[in-house]
Amino acid sequence: MVLLYSSDLNGICYIETASLDGETNLKQRQVVRGYSEQVSEIDPEKFSSRIECESPNNDLGHFRGFVEHSNKDRVGLSKENLLLRGCTVRNTEAVVGIVVYAGHETKAMLNNTGPHYKRSKLERKVNTDILWCVLLLILMCLTGAIGHGIWLSRYSEVPFFTIPEPGGKLIPPALAAFNVFWTMIILLQVLIPISLYVSIEIVKLGQIYLIQNDIDFYRETTDSTIQCRALNIAEDLGQIQYIFSDKTGTLTENKMVFRRCSIAGQEYCHEENAKRLESYQEVDSEDEDSADRQCGSSMHMSKWQGHDCRAVNEPLNRKSLSLLSGSHSALGREDGGRDAPRSGHVAFSSPIETDVVPDTQLLKKFSQISSHSYDQSEASSKLSLETMYITDFFLALAICNTVVVSVPSQPHQKMRLSSLGRMPIKSLEEIRQMFQRLSVRRLSSSPLPSVKESSSESPSSFVSKLSVFRMKMASPALDEAAQRAAELHNMDSPENSQVPQELDMVNVAVGCEYNSATSSIELSPLPKLCYEAESPDEAALVHAARAYRCILQSRTPDQVTVDFPGLGSLKFQLLHILPFDSVRKRMSVVVRHPVSNKVVVYTKGADSVMMDLLRTASEVDTNNSEMEQKIKERTQKHLDDYARRGLRTLCIAKKAMSDAEYAEWLNHHFSAETSIDNREELLLESAIRLETELTLLGATGIEDRLQEGVPDTIQALRKAGIKIWMLTGDKRETAVNIAYACKLLEPDDIIFTLKSQNKDACALMMGKILEGIQKNASKKQPGQKLGNVSASLSTQSPGFSAGLVIDGWTLEHVLHDSLQNIFLELTEKCRAVVCCRATPLQKSVLVRLVRSKLKAMTLAVGDGANDVSMIQVADTGVGISGQEGMQAVMASDFAVCQFRHLKKLLLVHGHWCYTRLTNMVLYFFYKNVAYVNLLFWYQFFCGFSGTSMTDYWILILFNLLFTSVPPIIYGVLDKDVSAEVLLQLPQLYMMSQKSLAYLPSTFWITLLDAFYQSIVCFFVPYFTYYGSDIDIFSFGNLINTAALFIILFHLLIECKSVTWIHTVVVVGSILFYFVFTLAFGATCKTQNPSSNPYWIMEQHMTDPVFYLVCLLTTCVALLPRYLLRVLQGTLFPSQVLRAKHLDRLTPKEQREAIKRWRDDCVVNCRVELHATSGSFSSVTGAVSEEESVASVLPTSKTPL
């Protein structure tokens, strides 16, 4: 919906986009230019303009269009004027707009791939094996039909076998065989294990229950545990081969912590803040406020009430420094911590992010801003210059952002400061409306007749109009100071020329004059504020500035109010915001300084681009060029050190512009804003034109703290044979740093950064890399196929250590149909892949590509709405309940609290679920085949007539009651290896990952064993009673009883851990069988005496031969299976059996055995690494030859 009216006086609508991108912070949307000046709601029926926009697409970050009025004037539209479906309106009473996309054409619907039904890999394999059982059933029935036809043909003259129909006609043998075929289908239909599906669902329900009640998945701070939202794919957790993970909020806490900064070439380490972070423990959200107060007392913090910075002239001792540092931290809690809601309601507002302890050295220099007058003598010029850098640095931190200020008690209500003057609120609003149209925002928002008309205006008159609103809105005290500052600025004295113009000395020189006007502000209690930022980086910088009492107090579309110590409340007129984009890699704000009345540009961005935008020596005075060069060199060293520490780095710079320069740039910028064609390119060009000749102020180092246990989890998963891909929308430097920090990439890895501008260059480069790898791999392992996942070099040779880093633009090329195979072949050779600047759609396409092309089991894990697509596409989707909404959780199959929970979920529960279910499925096939074959063997002695030697009640209840519960218990509770051993030996996961427990050969061996046991179970009683006059039901009762013992004892042989529950269930099944058959034999009578089951079991219970036959049959039938298990456990033990033996050792012996196991794995890896180390040099050479075509940068160290 295009926004045409908002009840907000500034034409702003606040929205929350948690359902779209997972972000819970407030965002601003603006009314279309020209409509924001309307004081009443717009009538949609009277809307006569025409809106033209781009075709529906799934790009949430862009929108192109224009509004054409009746006079043919056009106003450009952007995403700032668009309210998307799914967003929530906050802080705004009413909005009116025109719907441009509806239904399935909305961006939210186009980004939704829809529900996706997932079937487990085991389920698909079971369906295939059931088809084999159907084929086996047909063969057995055909055998019976053919046998019956032959029987009737051979004994056609015997009246006993040729019973005529009621009409006296004899049934032809062929027709009789046809009838017997369907009779055999009914008799042997138990061979198709229909009950297996019911049992599988019951077992999965039991496994899910055990997973959800695992105490290790519980997180006390959020009072949440794992959620199993899908009941049919639990066994897939044990077969994962690829993990696709988001970065921010998934691997990291999404809590940006201010760690270090460098100002004017001087580094401030913030050691006290680092100590706080080291000893910091996340408190429960319910006790957060009280815990904050305890934290303040433990660090000797007290509230700063009424301190005058001007009185701090003497050197600060340790006690006073701790008092001041405590005051700032306490101040932050006083503003936003007390009486505030839980931090979960406001994004990026946990105590670890907000409670920044100031650096004592920097805090001491901060006090000099108000205690020194910089125009007293020339001796203090150097000190004044350094303090000026500090002032502008923290002003940039507080201003250069899009943070929304709100009240803690009402987090989503916009905060407005009361006037510093004596005017009531009503008159202030009237003045605001009166001068609204004269502000820069309104001038840039109103429809311009033409660019020529704006350009014809003189710069002096144009800029004078821009300052009217600021002069009227300022309080009397600040107004007088600003006028004096303007007079000082206009004076052309030699003293002023000594100071660089860009440093705005005047705004600090008049600081003493501000003290009289701001003393009341310092003594009065400050308002309680909450900061809602679009990114945690912005929140961290604003909170860092607040720790030094550079407090962002309010933000409107026209101005930003900052409370600075010693300078009072400064109202900056907000002229323009140039948002961050992936091309510029920086953000800028253009403001008019309230003291100097000059246009100032504050810029922050990546050091890779910011260093090239600084002023050169020719553009700086000789006295300052050497100093700025030293600042640049020192800051670059500090940035390199921050990058090595894995911190997120940002450069802070500024630029002061004259009125003429700003007016010239503004005209070009207006023409770019109002253009329709190539609007993004023109705006980019305009921003680049502004962000030049910058003065470097300093740099910051922010830590995106990894979640607890992430490095250990990734190492364990990689040892388990799982490949991990990081798919993130962040820039390459950040993604690579986090990859090294979480040990996804190792320092000794060879890193290939693939970045190309076209498809041909990308194909050439990937082919060159593969050629080098393939050449050396063929020397090591001749004949190995590179395209096979199970035989890939990274799997077969753990010593091969390479990683691939690729950005979003290159992903567009490699996802082309012609490059998919070579790209997958390259990724198979790399044990880690990092995809930067990836869109949600690219994430899902990558997961689908690996899943379909490589036939691999995939798992996608994420925490935001931008991860929903890949979570739904993957075989198993895992959502993390973090700070970015619940969209990922709602779309996932399993929801965990932290990434580290994947370790136990996969290595323990995944392994257990798969092995338990596969063993139970195989047992079901065995049980049904073994029992049905008893009926089939009997057909050879009854003329294939379809007769059963067992009563039909016993036949029905044998699978339904007597042997149904033990396999279910077996599938729920069986445990081959303990959880402790599985966690310490992740290599055991490969057994389930490679489906070794359920191979096709295992299925057929199970069926052969079932055939053998059925033959023994039938023919041992047959030859025992051969030649006797035993009746059919007595013979069948003996076979049923022996079959029950064989089937249940076979289960005990297969059980890896027999508990009292197994014993009770098995013994209970046997007792229930005997009780039922005794009761049935004592009460059931039939009309045919020859087949009467009456009193049969009672007679067998008194016959010693019955017991002997049951014992002999059971032993002979199970002897091969038992001997096979004994030989496997003694002569050829598998890794699982070896690991199971560790559970029987003492804790000390177990630790030593596990250590030896790990040492053997390390030795094997080193041997293979030494064997493959020679191949790296040739690969590196192959890459370097083509660096001019595509940027592929191999290195053995961190690229940063």
Side-chain angles (χ1 to χ4, degrees):
M1 182 177 75
V2 174
L3 185 61
L4 299 179
Y5 169 80
S6 173
S7 58
D8 187 88
L9 296 176
N10 301 301
I12 295 296
C13 173
Y14 295 90
I15 63 172
E16 199 176 74
T17 59
S19 61
L20 295 176
D21 53 17
E23 299 179 3
T24 57
N25 54 286
L26 290 183
K27 295 182 175 63
Q28 293 182 356
R29 293 294 181 263
Q30 299 178 3
V31 172
V32 175
R33 188 181 309 139
Y35 290 92
S36 57
E37 301 172 1
Q38 301 187 20
V39 295
S40 60
E41 290 190 18
I42 186 173
D43 188 357
E45 296 181 355
K46 298 180 181 179
F47 181 79
S48 59
S49 302
R50 185 176 67 92
I51 296 179
E52 183 174 332
C53 59
E54 60 187 350
S55 300
N57 58 75
N58 58 3
D59 192 350
L60 297 175
H62 293 87
F63 176 69
R64 295 180 181 179
F66 61 83
V67 178
E68 187 177 67
H69 301 297
S70 56
N71 58 359
K72 301 302 180 181
D73 289 340
R74 291 184 176 183
V75 179
L77 300 177
S78 66
K79 71 169 185 177
E80 301 299 326
N81 311 121
L82 189 67
L83 297 183
L84 297 177
R85 172 180 176 177
C87 65
T88 305
V89 177
R90 302 287 188 188
N91 299 2
T92 310
E93 295 180 0
V95 293
V96 178
I98 298 294
V99 175
V100 291
Y101 302 128
H104 292 281
E105 293 183 347
T106 58
K107 293 181 181 291
M109 293 295 293
L110 292 175
N111 275 276
N112 187 8
T113 57
H116 179 70
Y117 176 74
K118 298 181 179 180
R119 289 194 308 166
S120 66
K121 184 179 179 180
L122 180 62
E123 184 180 349
R124 296 192 295 268
K125 191 173 292 186
V126 168
N127 292 339
T128 303
D129 291 339
I130 286 182
L131 293 178
W132 286 111
C133 291
V134 172
L135 180 60
L136 181 61
L137 174 63
I138 293 175
L139 291 176
M140 294 172 68
C141 293
L142 285 176
T143 302
I146 295 173
H148 185 67
I150 296 174
W151 187 292
L152 291 179
S153 300
R154 179 173 296 183
Y155 299 101
S156 59
E157 302 299 331
V158 181
F160 181 78
F161 296 104
T162 56
I163 302 176
E165 290 186 351
K169 295 182 179 180
L170 296 176
I171 301 176
L175 181 58
F178 178 78
N179 294 335
V180 167
F181 175 83
W182 298 107
T183 303
M184 296 286 287
I185 289 286
I186 298 174
L187 180 65
L188 305 181
Q189 51 86 23
V190 184
L191 184 64
I192 302 176
I194 303 300
S195 59
L196 172 62
Y197 287 99
V198 180
S199 301
I200 286 177
E201 295 304 320
I202 297 175
V203 168
K204 288 181 178 181
L205 192 62
Q207 293 175 348
I208 294 298
Y209 175 81
L210 295 178
I211 293 176
Q212 288 185 333
N213 286 272
D214 192 334
I215 193 64
D216 292 335
F217 292 134
Y218 176 73
R219 190 182 184 192
E220 186 177 1
T221 56
T222 58
D223 191 24
S224 58
T225 184
I226 188 173
Q227 301 178 32
C228 299
R229 305 177 58 83
L231 304 180
N232 60 329
I233 57 173
E235 64 274 17
D236 277 351
L237 295 173
Q239 297 182 278
I240 301 300
Q241 295 170 289
Y242 282 82
I243 290 181
F244 299 88
S245 173
D246 183 32
K247 182 188 72 66
T248 305
T250 303
L251 300 178
T252 65
E253 293 182 347
N254 203 15
K255 296 180 179 179
M256 306 301 177
V257 182
F258 185 84
R259 291 298 303 268
R260 292 168 175 256
C261 69
S262 173
I263 307 176
Q266 176 68 34
E267 184 181 14
Y268 302 96
C269 300
H270 289 75
E271 296 180 356
E272 295 182 3
N273 191 44
K275 294 178 181 178
R276 175 188 71 91
L277 296 175
E278 291 176 0
S279 60
Y280 185 88
Q281 294 181 354
E282 189 74 34
V283 297
D284 188 78
S285 58
E286 295 181 356
D287 302 326
E288 197 169 70
D289 296 337
S290 61
D292 290 348
R293 291 190 290 271
Q294 294 173 4
C295 180
S297 62
S298 65
M299 291 187 293
H300 308 287
M301 295 181 180
S302 62
K303 297 179 182 178
W304 193 5
Q305 297 178 349
H307 286 285
D308 192 350
C309 291
R310 294 171 296 169
V312 189
N313 291 321
E314 68 278 0
L316 300 178
N317 54 25
R318 183 174 183 84
K319 181 177 180 180
S320 60
L321 284 177
S322 63
L323 176 64
L324 288 177
S325 63
S327 66
H328 295 296
S329 184
L331 176 64
R333 288 188 300 275
E334 180 180 335
D335 294 342
R338 192 168 299 173
D339 299 329
R342 299 175 184 175
S343 61
H345 293 279
V346 180
F348 323 126
S349 61
S350 63
I352 194 173
E353 297 170 286
T354 59
D355 294 346
V356 179
V357 180
D359 185 85
T360 54
Q361 182 182 1
L362 182 57
L363 191 64
K364 182 178 179 181
K365 295 180 180 180
F366 234 86
S367 64
Q368 298 171 356
I369 296 177
S370 60
S371 60
H372 288 79
S373 179
Y374 297 100
D375 56 352
Q376 289 179 356
S377 64
E378 296 180 0
S380 62
S381 61
K382 183 177 180 181
L383 179 62
S384 301
L385 191 62
E386 182 182 14
T387 309
M388 189 58 232
Y389 270 92
I390 296 175
T391 304
D392 279 324
F393 179 83
F394 281 96
L395 284 176
L397 295 188
I399 294 175
C400 191
N401 51 65
T402 57
V403 173
V404 177
V405 185
S406 59
V407 182
S409 59
Q410 297 176 345
H412 286 170
Q413 295 294 328
K414 188 178 66 176
M415 174 62 185
R416 286 178 181 159
L417 288 180
S418 60
S419 175
L420 295 176
R422 296 182 174 87
M423 293 183 297
I425 296 297
K426 183 177 181 181
S427 60
L428 180 63
E429 296 298 332
E430 292 175 354
I431 292 177
R432 180 187 297 273
Q433 295 179 12
M434 184 183 303
F435 294 100
Q436 217 171 10
R437 303 184 182 184
L438 297 179
S439 65
V440 172
R441 176 68 64 177
R442 292 297 168 260
L443 285 176
S444 62
S445 302
S446 59
L448 296 178
S450 65
V451 180
K452 294 182 179 179
E453 182 179 345
S454 300
S455 60
S456 63
E457 199 173 8
S458 64
S460 59
S461 61
F462 182 78
V463 176
S464 63
K465 287 184 178 182
L466 304 183
S467 59
V468 174
F469 174 72
R470 178 194 61 80
M471 302 299 292
K472 293 295 182 181
M473 289 300 298
S475 61
L478 294 180
D479 193 28
E480 295 175 3
Q483 291 178 1
R484 288 193 295 270
E487 294 175 0
L488 291 174
H489 175 70
N490 295 329
M491 290 174 61
D492 224 353
S493 61
E495 290 79 2
N496 293 336
S497 62
Q498 295 178 359
V499 183
Q501 181 182 3
E502 289 77 1
L503 295 180
D504 286 343
M505 284 290 296
V506 68
N507 66 348
V508 181
V510 299
C512 296
E513 299 178 20
Y514 270 84
N515 291 331
S516 60
T518 58
S519 58
S520 60
I521 300 177
E522 295 179 1
L523 293 173
S524 62
L526 293 173
K528 300 180 177 64
L529 305 174
C530 278
Y531 298 136
E532 301 196 49
E534 292 188 6
S535 67
D537 301 80
E538 289 189 346
L541 295 179
V542 173
H543 286 298
R546 182 173 185 161
Y548 290 91
R549 296 204 66 184
C550 180
I551 303 173
L552 174 63
Q553 291 187 328
S554 69
R555 176 184 295 275
T556 67
D558 300 318
Q559 67 179 9
V560 179
T561 305
V562 178
D563 187 11
F564 201 90
L567 302 180
S569 182
L570 305 177
K571 290 190 176 182
F572 292 84
Q573 188 177 3
L574 185 58
L575 305 181
H576 290 282
I577 295 179
L578 304 179
F580 177 88
D581 61 67
S582 59
V583 179
R584 292 168 39 246
K585 297 183 179 180
R586 56 189 178 271
M587 172 191 179
S588 298
V589 293
V590 185
V591 297
R592 183 170 295 277
H593 205 283
V595 180
S596 64
N597 198 29
K598 290 195 301 185
V599 177
V600 183
V601 181
Y602 290 107
T603 305
K604 66 178 180 181
D607 58 316
S608 59
V609 295
M610 291 289 290
M611 290 300 180
D612 298 332
L613 303 176
L614 303 180
R615 294 190 302 179
T616 59
S618 60
E619 300 168 343
V620 190
D621 296 339
T622 306
N623 298 332
N624 297 324
S625 61
E626 183 178 355
M627 179 194 65
E628 291 192 5
Q629 184 64 26
K630 290 182 179 179
I631 292 176
K632 179 179 178 181
E633 294 175 356
R634 293 175 182 174
T635 305
Q636 187 62 55
K637 292 181 180 179
H638 298 157
L639 287 169
D640 296 339
D641 179 62
Y642 296 166
R644 284 190 294 268
R645 296 173 183 269
L647 302 180
R648 300 163 63 99
T649 58
L650 282 175
C651 283
I652 311 297
K654 65 166 287 189
K655 173 184 178 181
M657 302 178 64
S658 64
D659 293 340
E661 291 173 344
Y662 173 66
E664 181 182 358
W665 174 84
L666 189 60
N667 287 330
H668 290 286
H669 190 71
F670 280 169
S671 63
E673 282 186 337
T674 55
S675 64
I676 301 300
D677 299 330
N678 302 323
R679 184 170 183 266
E680 286 78 8
E681 290 78 3
L682 293 176
L683 288 175
L684 176 62
E685 182 182 350
S686 175
I688 294 176
R689 186 183 298 111
L690 179 69
E691 298 164 335
T692 56
E693 301 180 11
L694 301 177
T695 300
L696 181 63
L697 298 176
T700 60
I702 299 176
E703 179 185 8
D704 186 5
R705 296 168 59 89
L706 286 176
Q707 291 185 15
E708 180 184 357
V710 169
D712 295 337
T713 302
I714 289 181
Q715 278 193 329
L717 294 176
R718 293 178 65 170
K719 290 179 181 178
I722 301 175
K723 286 188 176 183
I724 303 176
W725 289 26
M726 180 195 294
L727 310 181
T728 176
D730 284 347
K731 58 183 181 180
R732 180 182 65 87
E733 295 84 358
T734 303
V736 172
N737 282 336
I738 295 299
Y740 276 100
C742 66
K743 297 185 179 180
L744 181 61
L745 297 176
E746 297 291 346
D748 296 331
D749 288 351
I750 289 187
I751 308 301
F752 299 101
T753 302
L754 189 58
K755 184 177 181 181
S756 62
Q757 300 298 328
N758 56 74
K759 185 178 67 175
D760 296 334
C762 185
L764 180 63
M765 188 47 50
M766 290 191 294
K768 205 69 176 179
I769 299 174
L770 276 175
E771 183 180 351
I773 297 177
Q774 211 166 21
K775 184 184 299 182
N776 293 276
S778 60
K779 295 178 182 179
K780 176 67 180 176
Q781 298 175 352
Q784 184 186 46
K785 294 183 179 180
L786 295 177
N788 189 2
V789 175
S790 60
S792 63
L793 184 61
S794 58
T795 305
Q796 298 295 329
S797 300
F800 185 81
S801 180
L804 178 66
V805 180
I806 184 172
D807 64 354
W809 287 104
T810 312
L811 275 178
E812 291 290 341
H813 305 317
V814 301
L815 293 178
H816 192 270
D817 294 339
S818 60
L819 299 183
Q820 289 180 359
N821 293 332
I822 188 174
F823 171 68
L824 291 177
E825 191 174 359
L826 176 59
T827 57
E828 288 180 65
K829 307 300 171 275
C830 303
R831 67 175 186 176
V833 178
V834 178
C835 298
C836 316
R837 296 297 184 190
T839 63
L841 187 59
Q842 287 177 333
K843 292 181 180 181
S844 62
V845 171
L846 279 174
V847 176
R848 185 182 290 107
L849 180 65
V850 172
R851 181 184 177 187
S852 60
K853 292 284 186 179
L854 300 182
K855 306 299 180 183
M857 295 294 295
T858 59
L859 181 145
V861 53
D863 70 317
N866 55 341
D867 305 316
V868 169
S869 296
M870 73 171 182
I871 287 176
Q872 292 179 338
V873 169
D875 294 285
T876 303
V878 177
I880 294 182
S881 53
Q883 300 188 70
E884 295 193 5
M886 298 294 291
Q887 294 299 308
V889 173
M890 297 298 292
S892 65
D893 305 308
F894 299 90
V896 296
C897 304
Q898 289 183 306
F899 184 84
R900 62 185 176 90
H901 292 158
L902 282 181
K903 181 178 180 181
K904 188 171 186 180
L905 181 62
L906 298 183
L907 302 186
V908 178
H909 289 285
H911 174 84
W912 282 350
C913 289
Y914 176 76
T915 54
R916 289 167 175 172
L917 205 57
T918 52
N919 292 334
M920 191 209 72
V921 168
L922 289 173
Y923 177 77
F924 248 93
F925 282 121
Y926 149 79
K927 177 172 69 74
N928 287 16
V929 172
Y931 189 71
V932 165
N933 277 335
L934 297 177
L935 302 175
F936 180 71
W937 302 134
Y938 182 72
Q939 302 307 310
F940 287 90
F941 301 95
C942 68
F944 297 97
S945 59
T947 306
S948 173
M949 72 287 191
T950 306
D951 186 81
Y952 286 108
W953 280 107
I954 304 295
L955 184 65
I956 293 173
L957 297 179
F958 190 87
N959 278 321
L960 186 62
L961 294 179
F962 304 147
T963 60
S964 61
V965 179
I968 292 177
I969 299 299
Y970 173 52
V972 174
L973 299 179
D974 191 38
K975 183 167 60 176
D976 53 356
V977 185
S978 64
E980 292 77 12
V981 176
L982 286 173
L983 290 175
Q984 296 183 59
L985 297 175
Q987 296 83 358
L988 298 175
Y989 184 81
M990 296 182 184
M991 305 297 292
S992 60
Q993 185 187 54
K994 298 177 181 178
S995 302
L996 297 181
Y998 195 0
L999 297 173
S1001 57
T1002 308
F1003 171 75
W1004 291 110
I1005 290 175
T1006 301
L1007 293 190
L1008 290 177
D1009 189 26
F1011 270 90
Y1012 164 76
Q1013 293 186 19
S1014 65
I1015 291 174
V1016 172
C1017 184
F1018 181 85
F1019 286 100
V1020 168
Y1022 173 79
F1023 287 109
T1024 301
Y1025 289 97
Y1026 183 76
S1028 65
D1029 59 350
I1030 186 172
D1031 63 276
I1032 180 174
F1033 279 173
S1034 297
F1035 179 68
N1037 183 71
L1038 179 61
I1039 293 178
N1040 273 333
T1041 306
L1044 179 71
F1045 283 110
I1046 292 173
I1047 290 174
L1048 293 180
F1049 289 160
H1050 178 98
L1051 179 64
L1052 293 179
I1053 293 176
E1054 292 299 311
C1055 279
K1056 307 302 186 299
S1057 58
V1058 179
T1059 63
W1060 64 269
I1061 300 179
H1062 292 80
T1063 305
V1064 168
V1065 170
V1066 171
V1067 173
S1069 297
I1070 295 175
L1071 293 178
F1072 181 66
Y1073 171 78
F1074 279 98
V1075 170
F1076 179 84
T1077 51
L1078 287 173
F1080 182 74
T1083 58
C1084 181
K1085 294 184 179 180
T1086 63
Q1087 299 298 327
N1088 189 2
S1090 60
S1091 60
N1092 194 342
Y1094 180 74
W1095 215 252
I1096 290 180
M1097 180 58 75
E1098 285 78 359
Q1099 293 178 353
H1100 278 162
M1101 294 290 289
T1102 60
D1103 186 6
V1105 178
F1106 171 78
Y1107 298 100
L1108 181 62
V1109 171
C1110 290
L1111 179 62
L1112 179 63
T1113 303
T1114 303
C1115 294
V1116 174
L1118 296 178
L1119 184 62
R1121 168 73 57 169
Y1122 181 76
L1123 291 177
L1124 178 64
R1125 295 306 181 198
V1126 171
L1127 292 177
Q1128 285 181 343
T1130 54
L1131 300 180
F1132 313 103
S1134 64
Q1135 289 188 351
V1136 174
L1137 291 176
R1138 289 174 54 197
K1140 182 177 176 59
H1141 177 70
L1142 299 178
D1143 293 330
R1144 304 172 185 174
L1145 304 177
T1146 61
K1148 182 178 180 180
E1149 294 174 344
Q1150 187 182 81
R1151 288 193 297 269
E1152 294 177 353
I1154 292 176
K1155 186 177 182 300
R1156 289 194 301 268
W1157 190 316
R1158 291 176 176 173
D1159 293 341
D1160 293 340
C1161 295
V1162 172
V1163 170
N1164 294 334
C1165 291
R1166 287 178 179 175
V1167 171
E1168 295 180 358
L1169 177 62
H1170 178 73
T1172 58
S1173 60
S1175 65
F1176 294 157
S1177 59
S1178 61
V1179 175
T1180 304
V1183 173
S1184 61
E1185 292 176 0
E1186 300 294 338
E1187 283 185 348
S1188 59
V1189 181
S1191 175
V1192 184
L1193 309 175
T1195 176
S1196 60
K1197 301 296 180 182
T1198 307
L1200 299 182

